Amino acid sequence: MTTTDPDIQLIAHRPQRADARRNFDALLAAAREAFGADGTSASLEDIARRAGVGIGTLYRNFPTRDALIEAVYVDEVESVVRAARDAESLEPWQALNTWLLRFVSYIGTKHALLDGLNKDSPVLLSCRTAIYTGGAPLLDRAQRAGVVRNDVAIDDVVRMVSGIAGVAFEDDAQRTKVVELAIDGLRARA
């Protein structure tokens, strides 16, 4: 798989042929949906069916359940890193805020996949590093612009948002409100 961070190594690699790449991407999307709904023990046959491919295509791309879970996780991390790059064109506060709100949705995927991930996998460490490396420039730029407190580091911000996003809420609207309150606490005060 082509990654946004050269340190992230995937077991499965995104195919070069357009039709094979579409199948690969469809499998990732179907697996993300299935794992989100049913956990990492979701039926692989159901994932293949959701993707519109046969089970053989799934196994050609992902020889094990662990490989599929890891690929979904890495794909989500890559999306968070891309979101950081995409936000660079925004004003400093808006860039950081936009990225953090995207990061919150990643936390939901991460929790759904966490039980199925090999905690000793070097991929997990690489993914964590990629997220921090993606978000740090946005925080630094916001601090240099004077819109974010200077006494916070990227690991403080990621831990704060992760902790809040991982709490059980009545609904998504309440989670969003509480996350936005926390993010607002990062603003520099006169």
Side-chain angles (χ1 to χ4, degrees), residues 100-111 157-169 171-172 174-180 182-183:
L100 287 172
L101 293 176
R102 171 59 184 94
F103 179 76
V104 168
S105 68
Y106 151 78
I107 296 298
T109 301
K110 178 182 175 185
H111 285 300
V157 175
V158 167
R159 285 185 177 136
M160 175 188 72
V161 173
S162 296
I164 294 168
V167 172
F169 288 94
D171 56 35
D172 288 340
Q174 185 186 31
R175 172 178 285 108
T176 299
K177 178 181 178 182
V178 173
V179 167
E180 287 174 349
I183 292 171

Side-chain angles (χ1 to χ4, degrees), residues 2-190:
T2 304
T3 61
T4 55
D5 185 308
D7 294 331
I8 300 177
Q9 300 297 315
L10 252 192
I11 293 171
H13 297 281
R14 184 169 273 118
Q16 295 300 311
R17 280 190 2 249
D19 61 331
R21 192 171 44 249
R22 277 191 303 275
N23 289 342
F24 183 93
D25 292 341
L27 284 164
L28 285 179
R32 181 179 298 108
E33 182 182 313
F35 293 153
D38 303 324
T40 55
S41 63
S43 162
L44 295 180
E45 291 80 8
D46 181 50
I47 291 170
R49 189 172 35 262
R50 287 180 192 215
V53 301
I55 192 69
T57 299
L58 184 146
Y59 281 116
R60 258 191 312 282
N61 284 283
F62 308 102
T64 65
R65 178 180 297 274
D66 288 347
L68 179 58
I69 292 167
E70 194 170 87
V72 170
Y73 182 71
V74 169
D75 190 59
E76 189 67 15
V77 168
E78 289 175 338
S79 177
V80 172
V81 173
R82 274 191 308 276
R85 277 199 320 266
D86 293 346
E88 289 174 350
S89 64
L90 302 173
E91 293 298 318
W93 173 257
Q94 188 61 37
L96 181 63
N97 189 58
T98 298
W99 180 74
L100 287 172
L101 293 176
R102 171 59 184 94
F103 179 76
V104 168
S105 68
Y106 151 78
I107 296 298
T109 301
K110 178 182 175 185
H111 285 300
L113 297 174
L114 207 51
D115 291 336
L117 289 169
N118 175 357
K119 310 300 186 286
D120 298 325
S121 169
V123 171
L124 280 182
L125 179 57
S126 294
C127 286
R128 181 177 184 268
T129 300
I131 288 172
Y132 280 55
T133 301
L138 299 175
L139 176 64
D140 292 343
R141 189 170 70 121
Q143 287 172 323
R144 284 191 312 276
V147 295
V148 170
R149 300 165 48 152
N150 285 321
D151 63 341
V152 296
I154 190 64
D155 61 328
D156 300 324
V157 175
V158 167
R159 285 185 177 136
M160 175 188 72
V161 173
S162 296
I164 294 168
V167 172
F169 288 94
E170 288 182 26
D171 56 35
D172 288 340
Q174 185 186 31
R175 172 178 285 108
T176 299
K177 178 181 178 182
V178 173
V179 167
E180 287 174 349
L181 287 167
I183 292 171
D184 191 58
L186 296 172
R187 286 187 186 270
R189 306 291 183 225

